[in-house]
């Protein structure tokens, strides 16, 4: 985790952040799905081949969890953590075994709170992409952030 933390005061519209990568294997897809989203297209290549996806695909929630991990560990270094106020998710293409994922984030709005000058909100849009630049998840999030003490 980075030691250079950012406060609301440090963030500006247009700021961009890019995370490290995460390699996703079939075993991890099946393990996550077995616990959290046990649908045939997430549970194995054989059970997935005759589904809409035509093969093993990660749960969108698995992609979201990987995205969060990447943002927290190597992405947006907010001093008090990444605290979501609202989120909009889209999964335009399935995450597959062998995908090497990373996140690219852009700040689209920074707004101080009207009720508490010690905090405010950052709106960010970010894409989770694989090694071929294919968007696996698109997110717009409104994040709570705090001003420098």
């Amino acid at each position: 985790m980075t030691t250079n933390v950012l406060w609301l005061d440090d963030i500006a519209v247009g700021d961009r952040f890019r995370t490290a990568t995460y390699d996703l294997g079939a075993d991890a897809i099946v393990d996550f799905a077995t616990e959290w989203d046990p649908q045939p297209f997430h549970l194995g290549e054989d059970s997935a081949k005759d589904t809409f996806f035509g093969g093993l695909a990660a749960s969108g929630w698995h992609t979201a969890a990987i995205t969060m991990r990447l943002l927290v560990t190597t992405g947006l270094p907010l001093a008090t953590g990444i605290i979501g106020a609202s989120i909009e998710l889209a999964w335009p293409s399935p995450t597959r075994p062998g995908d090497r994922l990373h996140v690219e984030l852009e700040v689209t709005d920074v707004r101080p709170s009207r009720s508490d000058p010690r905090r405010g909100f950052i709106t960010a849009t970010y894409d989770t992409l694989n090694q071929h630049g294919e968007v696996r998840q698109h997110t717009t999030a409104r994040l709570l952030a705090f001003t420098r003490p």
Side-chain angles (χ1 to χ4, degrees):
M1 193 174 280
T2 183
T3 55
N4 297 325
V5 296
L6 300 174
W7 298 88
L8 181 66
D9 325 63
D10 302 319
I11 303 289
V13 171
D15 285 352
R16 292 178 175 269
F17 300 87
R18 182 186 171 117
T19 70
T21 60
Y22 182 93
D23 293 319
L24 184 60
D27 289 345
I29 290 172
V30 172
D31 288 347
F32 183 94
T34 299
E35 181 74 16
W36 302 108
D37 193 355
Q39 300 187 74
F41 34 82
H42 302 320
L43 292 174
E45 195 61 50
D46 287 342
S47 61
K49 68 181 174 193
D50 292 327
T51 69
F52 169 80
F53 295 103
L56 184 61
S59 168
W61 300 113
H62 193 181
T63 304
I66 293 166
T67 299
M68 187 66 186
R69 178 179 178 81
L70 287 169
L71 287 173
V72 168
T73 58
T74 65
L76 183 60
L78 292 177
T80 56
I82 298 174
I83 304 168
S86 66
I87 191 165
E88 180 180 316
L89 290 173
W91 296 291
S93 65
T95 301
R96 301 288 189 174
D99 274 354
R100 172 171 277 182
L101 302 172
H102 75 277
V103 180
E104 296 180 10
L105 178 148
E106 181 177 1
V107 175
T108 59
D109 191 42
V110 179
R111 203 170 291 270
S113 169
R114 286 177 275 197
S115 62
D116 187 342
R118 297 170 297 171
R119 64 181 182 214
F121 295 95
I122 297 167
T123 302
T125 59
Y126 44 100
D127 288 326
T128 306
L129 302 112
N130 72 2
Q131 68 274 20
H132 306 295
E134 298 164 324
V135 177
R136 299 308 200 196
Q137 178 177 296
H138 177 75
T139 310
T140 301
R142 190 166 171 249
L143 308 171
L144 177 64
F146 294 86
T147 58
R148 189 177 308 283

